[in-house]
């Protein structure tokens, strides 16, 4: 091709950042020029991946005889997990619509109307702070409802979707098929969270009954006055690698999540090193070590307080221990069903 003539129709400005991977650019700037940022391969691939996953789910649900129905986006305010986004009504001055936090009421109306298998990829609008695993303001979920199915029948119906999704879109192995079904109380006790990482152990244990008769004032106050609990995590092998800095960072993580501190008991050099040894008799210490199945080289971490606080604190400590001890298998996906959620959450 030989160019004989060139006419410039529009001169481009210098881009605010280079359009390539691994650029060190302020996120605010990237969001301002989102149309340029989306040209980067990783972000483009994210969009394509999301599209492929949603198409796969849609096709699967249609094959399973579900009907896709889009529920209204303007609705009345309903008590969900966060504040509503409000939209003023033009026709009714002073009145407001709410954006739906979930299509809960509509899908139940559909069941009454005789649509016995419904689904949609539903936007959920919630006026809440940003989280690590979702954008602030909105997220999309595969929302579904069926009539006349028991909980176990519904699990059996839906589980193949997640198995097939995993096989098609990842190279990861599934920890357990069929997926474990864990009651809420058990999951909160063992993992401190209703979305537990099951790829590693380090399970939380309750030792309230072991220490209820001690003379240690802190434990007594928690158990008798606050009606709380005492729980532990045995960090296997941590004493061989953890430094004082590790302990300090874990303590800060605990206090950031509402704890007064983070007590611990180290089993190293055939000694038990802990501030707690001043307050607990040898029989109680031996009982704790036995329940924790602790051995030389382990560190036992303690959480004491109201149950919800202890769950929150030890859940974070457990995840951090998993990372620091390098016991999380990144090649696994550990799906699970958490059952028997409480109808209400206690609010002090």
């Amino acid at each position: 091709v030989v160019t004989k003539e060139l006419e410039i129709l529009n001169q481009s400005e210098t881009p605010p950042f280079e359009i390539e991977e691994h650029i060190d650019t302020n996120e605010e700037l990237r969001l301002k020029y989102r149309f340029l940022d989306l040209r980067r391969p990783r972000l483009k691939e994210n969009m394509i991946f999301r599209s492929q996953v949603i198409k796969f789910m849609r096709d699967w649900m249609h094959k399973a005889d579900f009907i896709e129905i889009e529920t209204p986006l303007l609705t009345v305010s309903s008590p969900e997990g966060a504040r509503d986004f409000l939209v003023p009504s033009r026709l009714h001055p002073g009145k407001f619509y709410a954006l739906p936090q979930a299509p809960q009421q509509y899908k139940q109306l559909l069941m009454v109307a005789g649509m016995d298998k419904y689904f949609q990829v539903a936007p959920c609008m919630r006026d809440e702070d940003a989280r690590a695993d979702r954008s602030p303001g909105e997220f999309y979920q595969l929302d579904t409802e069926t009539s006349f199915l028991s909980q176990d029948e519904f699990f059996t119906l839906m589980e193949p979707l997640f198995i097939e999704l995993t096989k098609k879109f990842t190279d990861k192995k599934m920890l357990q098929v069929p997926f474990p079904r864990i009651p809420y109380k058990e999951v909160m006790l063992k993992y401190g969270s209703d979305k537990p990482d099951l790829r590693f152990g380090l399970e939380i244990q309750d030792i309230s009954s072991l220490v209820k008769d001690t003379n240690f004032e802190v434990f007594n106050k928690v158990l008798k006055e606050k009606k709380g609990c005492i729980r532990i995590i045995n960090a296997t092998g941590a004493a061989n690698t953890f430094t004082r800095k590790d302990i300090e960072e874990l303590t800060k993580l605990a206090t950031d999540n509402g704890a007064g501190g983070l007590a611990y008991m180290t089993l190293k050099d055939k000694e038990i090193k802990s501030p707690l040894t001043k307050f607990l008799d040898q029989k109680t210490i031996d009982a704790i070590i036995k329940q924790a199945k602790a051995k030389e080289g382990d560190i036992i971490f303690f959480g004491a307080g109201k149950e919800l606080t202890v769950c929150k604190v030890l859940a974070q400590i457990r995840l951090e221990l998993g990372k620091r001890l390098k016991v999380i298998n990144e090649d696994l996906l550990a799906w699970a069903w958490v059952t028997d959620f409480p109808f209400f959450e206690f609010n002090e």
Side-chain angles (χ1 to χ4, degrees), residues 69 71-72 78-80 102-120 143-148 343:
I69 302 172
T71 53
S78 64
E80 291 281 350
Q104 189 69 39
Q105 292 163 316
Y106 290 116
K107 66 185 182 182
Q108 287 164 352
L109 287 171
L110 288 168
M111 296 300 103
V112 177
M115 306 287 183
D116 65 326
K117 290 173 89 173
Y118 136 94
F119 88 96
Q120 71 172 318
D143 198 274
T144 182
E145 183 94 5
T146 57
S147 293
F148 312 118
F343 278 111

Side-chain angles (χ1 to χ4, degrees), residues 227-238:
K227 307 294 183 193
C229 62
I230 318 292
R231 291 180 179 172
I232 58 169
I233 298 178
N234 179 28
T236 311

Side-chain angles (χ1 to χ4, degrees), residues 124-150:
C124 300
M125 316 291 190
R126 298 182 179 179
D127 184 8
E128 61 186 1
D129 296 332
R131 300 189 199 177
D133 60 354
R134 75 175 63 152
S135 302
E138 67 174 51
F139 64 92
Y140 282 73
Q141 66 187 28
L142 174 64
D143 198 274
T144 182
E145 183 94 5
T146 57
S147 293
F148 312 118
L149 287 189
S150 69

Side-chain angles (χ1 to χ4, degrees), residues 292-329:
K293 295 182 180 171
K295 58 188 184 304
E296 175 75 11
D298 294 353
I299 303 178
I300 302 170
F301 291 97
F302 291 75
K306 292 285 186 73
E307 186 176 5
L308 286 177
T309 303
V310 172
C311 284
K312 183 181 177 185
V313 169
L314 290 186
Q316 293 302 314
I317 295 295
R318 177 179 176 266
L319 290 174
E320 187 61 25
L321 287 172
K323 291 173 193 168
R324 290 179 186 239
L325 294 169
K326 296 182 172 60
V327 293
I328 302 174
N329 187 343

Side-chain angles (χ1 to χ4, degrees), residues 156-179:
T156 303
L157 172 68
M158 295 302 295
E159 202 165 287
L161 168 59
F162 298 103
I163 293 169
E164 289 173 35
L165 263 174
T166 305
K167 287 177 179 174
K168 182 169 177 64
F169 291 103
T170 80
D171 296 324
K172 299 189 178 189
K173 298 280 187 290
M174 283 170 280
L175 180 65
Q176 189 177 330
V177 176
F179 305 156

